[in-house]
Amino acid sequence: MTSIEEVIRTRRTHKSFRPEPVPAEVVRELVDVARWAPNHHRTNPWRFRVLGPTALARLKEASGADAPKLDRAPTLIVVSAMLTGDLIQDEEDVCATAAAVYALLLAAHARGLAGYWRTPKVLRARAGRDAVGIPTGERVLGLVHLGRPRGAPAAPERADVETVLEFLA
Ligand SMILES: Cc1cc2nc3c(=O)[nH]c(=O)nc-3n(C[C@H](O)[C@H](O)[C@H](O)COP(=O)(O)O)c2cc1C
């Protein structure tokens, strides 16, 4: 059993994938893990939409020249947070959904899958949101790319602990 710490340290953003899609039952397992992310007031704000061929075609059409980038990974999941209009609640729900995306990426990595959290411009535009059925009142956090890895990306640099940690008196 791999430790959670090792899973966290070894997860990488992959941009190159094998062509086989992630089976639906595995996607279900990943979302089943993701929904255990911390979530103030238990609002369950996260929504996960797995693109099928028709939705992907619509999103590519809305993407214009960026459409080829949507062919990188065999499985694409739009993750969004449902908002209420209450600013504090919405901020917390966006944070909770980001935590859920990370949990999903870690669960995928623990299963030997490659993942990539991407925030394509098209999902900020009305046409892109419509293409994947995002209603007004949902905030898209990203388009998660999943699949079997091709190659192994190097770890990018991180700021060291001393740079980011301060013990206050
Ligand atoms: C909220 C968020 C949005 C991201 N959007 C993009 C993106 O649009 N394009 C991209 O190349 N990487 C994107 N990334 C991935 C980061 O570039 C990546 O995590 C970073 O380079 C560190 O690499 P690592 O994930 O392998 O540690 C995003 C990551 C996060 C957390």
Side-chain angles (χ1 to χ4, degrees):
M1 172 87 168
T2 320
S3 75
I4 182 69
E5 187 171 321
E6 190 184 341
V7 173
I8 290 170
R9 286 179 186 275
T10 59
R11 179 211 55 82
R12 293 276 68 80
T13 291
H14 285 252
K15 297 189 178 175
S16 186
F17 299 82
R18 298 192 173 281
E20 321 81 68
V22 177
E25 62 270 24
V26 176
V27 172
R28 203 165 269 118
E29 284 174 23
L30 301 180
V31 173
D32 188 43
V33 173
R35 73 194 171 90
W36 288 101
N39 167 214
H40 199 186
H41 304 308
R42 276 80 66 206
T43 56
N44 299 286
W46 33 69
R47 292 295 179 272
F48 302 86
R49 293 179 175 85
V50 185
L51 301 193
T54 308
L56 178 60
R58 281 198 304 261
L59 189 61
K60 283 169 118 174
E61 198 181 328
S63 298
D66 280 342
K69 291 186 184 169
L70 294 168
D71 286 325
R72 282 177 176 160
T75 298
L76 298 175
I77 308 176
V78 180
V79 187
S80 59
M82 293 178 69
L83 305 182
T84 61
D86 177 308
L87 289 185
I88 294 173
Q89 181 70 53
D90 289 350
E91 183 180 270
E92 292 185 336
D93 282 342
V94 167
C95 291
T97 304
V101 174
Y102 187 41
L104 184 147
L105 289 173
L106 292 177
H109 174 50
R111 285 163 175 74
L113 293 168
Y116 171 15
W117 183 342
R118 194 176 156 225
T119 40
K121 245 189 338 206
V122 66
L123 287 175
R124 298 182 196 277
R126 188 71 260 168
R129 291 171 58 97
D130 286 349
V132 294
I134 305 290
T136 307
E138 276 185 38
R139 162 99 176 264
V140 174
L141 273 90
L143 182 65
V144 173
H145 293 38
L146 291 175
R148 294 254 148 230
R150 221 194 269 281
E157 277 190 22
R158 289 289 200 265
D160 59 22
V161 174
E162 286 66 33
T163 309
V164 298
L165 174 67
E166 185 179 358
F167 291 96
L168 301 179

